[in-house]
Amino acid sequence: IQTAGRYRTQLSVSSRRNQLMRALLPNIRRSILFPVLVAMVIISSTTVADESHTHDPVTVFSRPVIERLPVRVVEPVDVVALPDQELLVADGVGKCIFRLHRDGEVELAASDLTNISRIATGQQGNIVALLSGKASSRIVRITPQGFVSEGATLPFSAAGLVVDQIDVAYTADSRSGRVVAIHADGVHRQLATLSERIVDLTSGGGNVVALLGSGKVVSIALDGSTRTVGHTSANALRLRQNSAGSMVSLASDAEADTVLLATVASQHDEVAKFAAVPVGTTAFEFDNLGNLILGNDRLRAVTKVTSRFQIACPHCGQPTMMIFSSKPAQKKTHSSVAAF
């Protein structure tokens, strides 16, 4: 009797849901959020309202949502996604840092930052910026109120910027392979010296991770010890860690006029294409869900490519991942871009 009653209730709810969808379809079919609405109906129609239902990621066969973010830039040299869904954007030509709030409001976080090349976040909402010149570089720290203070002056052209949990900043001499640590009081020390020139730095697993000119990727522990963790394209210019913990590089081929995001693999010939991005892309970032954010100086734009959404389970309200995919799931294959 209970089973029959629950079945009749489900039929009634399903009938009302179908009537509602038939009424709404003509108006929402052209919306970019149409796949989201369809997926929510699928989830609520196929999940039984009991304690045994799961919260596995739901795949919807749809192209990602691509949007140009409402921040006006000329040369976006770096982008940083914050945990609260805010975004920091550094503009090299504008010599400034913008803060894009989740409601779309744009705030000028700092200005008059000549040669700004990288930004990172420190403790208590502070921003740390690398101003890298041809012969010397500066580290500056910016409070949430916009006050700029000098962190350190370095006698070399610096590449990459990482800030750890205790507000120590790390950057590298792009020519000699030296990695230095700069403490909040301005005192700096050498952390490690690598055998090749350093192109970029990022953080990974609590360590500083260096991208070398050959495409080699090296992890540097805070005690100065080093180990090779993989290889990527020899033309790679930037390195980031995505939400899954994997390293991804940005590689540009000027002759072919192409730009790729490539994986980091244990062997050079196993490096695979992660994604193709527009020509002119100079910076990229992943948000906490794994969505891609691109800075492009040709387009003078910052663009977000959203393929991962967090929706509430219709039965218990627990956050559930929904993923847009342009093709059916299939066995992973690695197309080599080692020569790229």
Side-chain angles (χ1 to χ4, degrees), residues 77-94:
V77 294
D78 204 5
V79 290
V80 173
L82 304 179
D84 56 3
Q85 298 184 29
E86 293 187 349
L87 186 69
L88 298 175
V89 181
D91 188 340
V93 172

Side-chain angles (χ1 to χ4, degrees), residues 35-36 39-40 42-44 47 53-61 85 242-244 286-292 304-314 316-325:
V36 180
M40 292 175 69
I42 293 173
I43 295 170
S44 60
T47 306
H53 69 273
T54 64
H55 298 95
D56 297 331
V58 178
T59 300
V60 178
F61 299 119
Q85 298 184 29
N242 64 18
S243 60
F286 295 95
D287 68 10
N288 58 349
L289 295 180
N291 295 309
L292 190 59
K304 186 172 184 180
V305 183
T306 305
S307 59
R308 293 169 174 264
F309 301 83
Q310 199 170 66
I311 60 176
C313 172
C316 66
Q318 180 173 322
T320 303
M321 180 70 71
M322 181 174 65
I323 302 172
F324 282 7
S325 176

Side-chain angles (χ1 to χ4, degrees), residues 13-258:
V13 171
S14 178
S15 177
R16 290 195 298 270
R17 183 186 301 115
N18 291 339
Q19 292 174 3
L20 178 62
M21 286 301 297
R22 282 196 296 270
L24 292 178
L25 276 176
N27 297 321
I28 68 174
R29 188 178 295 277
R30 296 181 181 274
S31 170
I32 61 173
L33 295 180
F34 176 65
V36 180
L37 298 173
V38 172
M40 292 175 69
V41 172
I42 293 173
I43 295 170
S44 60
S45 299
T46 58
T47 306
V48 178
D50 59 25
E51 297 179 356
S52 64
H53 69 273
T54 64
H55 298 95
D56 297 331
V58 178
T59 300
V60 178
F61 299 119
S62 173
R63 292 183 178 182
V65 177
I66 302 175
E67 58 179 326
R68 183 169 180 159
L69 300 180
V71 54
R72 295 184 178 182
V73 292
V74 179
E75 185 189 12
V77 294
D78 204 5
V79 290
V80 173
L82 304 179
D84 56 3
Q85 298 184 29
E86 293 187 349
L87 186 69
L88 298 175
V89 181
D91 188 340
V93 172
K95 305 176 184 179
C96 61
I97 301 172
F98 295 105
R99 182 188 297 270
L100 177 61
H101 296 273
R102 60 186 302 177
D103 61 1
E105 181 182 352
V106 179
E107 172 190 356
L108 181 64
S111 59
D112 298 323
L113 301 176
T114 303
N115 296 324
I116 185 170
S117 62
R118 295 289 188 274
I119 52 176
T121 54
Q123 295 294 312
Q124 300 177 346
N126 293 332
I127 302 171
V128 182
L130 171 63
L131 316 181
S132 182
K134 294 182 178 179
S136 63
S137 304
R138 295 163 55 208
I139 297 287
V140 298
R141 298 176 184 271
I142 305 152
T143 67
Q145 293 75 31
F147 296 108
V148 180
S149 61
E150 291 290 333
T153 300
L154 306 169
F156 53 77
S157 178
L161 177 66
V162 172
V163 178
D164 68 13
Q165 296 181 349
I166 58 174
D167 240 15
V168 178
Y170 301 86
T171 190
D173 185 335
S174 60
R175 298 184 180 92
S176 71
R178 287 192 303 127
V179 180
V180 297
I182 302 100
H183 294 263
D185 57 5
V187 176
H188 55 276
R189 59 181 175 84
Q190 181 170 311
L191 178 66
T193 301
L194 304 181
S195 59
E196 301 179 37
R197 68 180 181 89
I198 296 175
V199 178
D200 196 18
L201 297 179
T202 192
S203 58
N207 295 341
V208 177
V209 183
L211 170 65
L212 307 187
S214 65
K216 182 187 292 186
V217 178
V218 177
S219 177
I220 308 168
L222 300 186
D223 62 1
S225 59
T226 64
R227 66 182 181 90
T228 300
V229 295
H231 301 267
T232 190
S233 169
N235 292 333
L237 303 173
R238 301 293 297 266
L239 187 68
R240 287 289 196 191
Q241 185 179 50
N242 64 18
S243 60
S246 302
M247 291 290 169
V248 179
S249 69
L250 173 70
S252 176
D253 188 338
E255 294 183 359
D257 202 26
T258 55

